[in-house]
Amino acid sequence: MTNCVLCNEDLKPEEGHLVWCGDDCRIILVNDADLPGFCRVIWNAHVGEMTDLNHGEREHLMSLVFAVEEAVRQVMRPDKVNIAALGNMVPHIHWHIIPRYKNDAFYPGSAWSTKTQETPAPILASRVQQAGELSAAIREAVSRLN
Amino acid sequence: MTNCVLCNEDLKPEEGHLVWCGDDCRIILVNDADLPGFCRVIWNAHVGEMTDLNHGEREHLMSLVFAVEEAVRQVMRPDKVNIAALGNMVPHIHWHIIPRYKNDAFYPGSAWSTKTQETPAPILASRVQQAGELSAAIREAVSRLN
């Protein structure tokens, strides 16, 4: 689709970076100032809903989502992981995997809810540092799938 | 867990109703005034994260989530389906499956975002009526899994 931002993704370093890319999916580490460790698993082709994929494709995509969740838990040690495929604005399948903490900016709401608080700066800085280890952990978790 | 609302779910008719219950999971049709057709797939046991489940359990749960998505698309004909497992407030695995429309209360935001508009009352009423067919469609979609 010529007007889809995920079909024509031109990821700038300040927005995030590509961690892994396969034939069907890619994994992005998102640079979110409030939510370090925010990851995205994107289906490469322009497909709108999970049930537009066949069963094997759904399983493959979800195995990547859960590999990312494993890496996120291991590296970021969050209080909770949030997983979501919304796509109201970009109807091209992409999963958000978000480490959540009781002192993060949106807790206990969703990452799309109103901000509830500011994470203390030193804690946020240490999470940004932790997130630096995520790419390697994700690649390792994905390599264990095969 | 004695203090978990999903371990001790006492679903009142005004909150929703049980559509299907298996050994591991149950499916609820949620009574959400703004989002008719909102469904929930809940893991029966108190488990916090998807990666706390083994691979077979994850596949089973996701196959139910996608069966619900199929039924929701067929019956509700939404513009988009949203799927999410958050659990910040109730850390017991449950998936939200939500039919979304360009004129729904939160569009294009998430169902947890700030309200953006009111759906015209006759449209909302017709969606409530459509949602009345969802239970049967979900049970049929689940029965096709085996």
Side-chain angles (χ1 to χ4, degrees), chain B residues 29-74:
Chain B
L29 179 55
V30 179
N31 193 1
D32 186 301
D34 289 313
L35 298 166
F38 191 137
C39 297
R40 208 166 276 146
V41 181
I42 302 164
W43 189 256
N44 289 334
H46 191 81
V47 174
E49 304 285 6
M50 283 302 294
T51 50
D52 291 330
L53 300 178
N54 69 37
H55 287 80
E57 291 170 332
R58 294 177 206 175
E59 272 180 34
H60 173 56
L61 175 47
M62 296 317 296
S63 73
L64 290 171
V65 168
F66 299 136
V68 171
E69 180 181 295
E70 253 165 25
V72 162
R73 292 180 73 182
Q74 177 198 321

Side-chain angles (χ1 to χ4, degrees), chain A residues 49 51 69 73 80 83 85, chain B residues 49 51 69 73 80 83 85:
Chain A
E49 303 286 5
T51 50
E69 179 181 295
R73 292 180 74 182
K80 188 70 191 71
I83 309 179
Chain B
E49 304 285 6
T51 50
E69 180 181 295
R73 292 180 73 182
K80 188 71 192 71
I83 308 178

Side-chain angles (χ1 to χ4, degrees), chain A residues 90-123:
Chain A
V90 183
H92 172 140
I93 296 171
H94 59 284
W95 284 89
H96 306 284
I97 299 100
I98 315 168
R100 301 296 311 275
Y101 302 89
K102 288 178 180 161
N103 60 6
D104 78 34
F106 305 97
Y107 202 89
S110 82
W112 304 274
S113 302
T114 308
K115 230 174 179 175
T116 54
Q117 58 191 340
E118 291 291 338
T119 310
I123 292 174

Side-chain angles (χ1 to χ4, degrees), chain B residues 8-23:
Chain B
N8 306 288
E9 192 165 47
D10 174 23
L11 200 63
K12 292 173 187 66
E14 63 271 26
E15 295 168 344
H17 73 269
L18 183 69
V19 169
W20 178 87
C21 191
D23 289 341

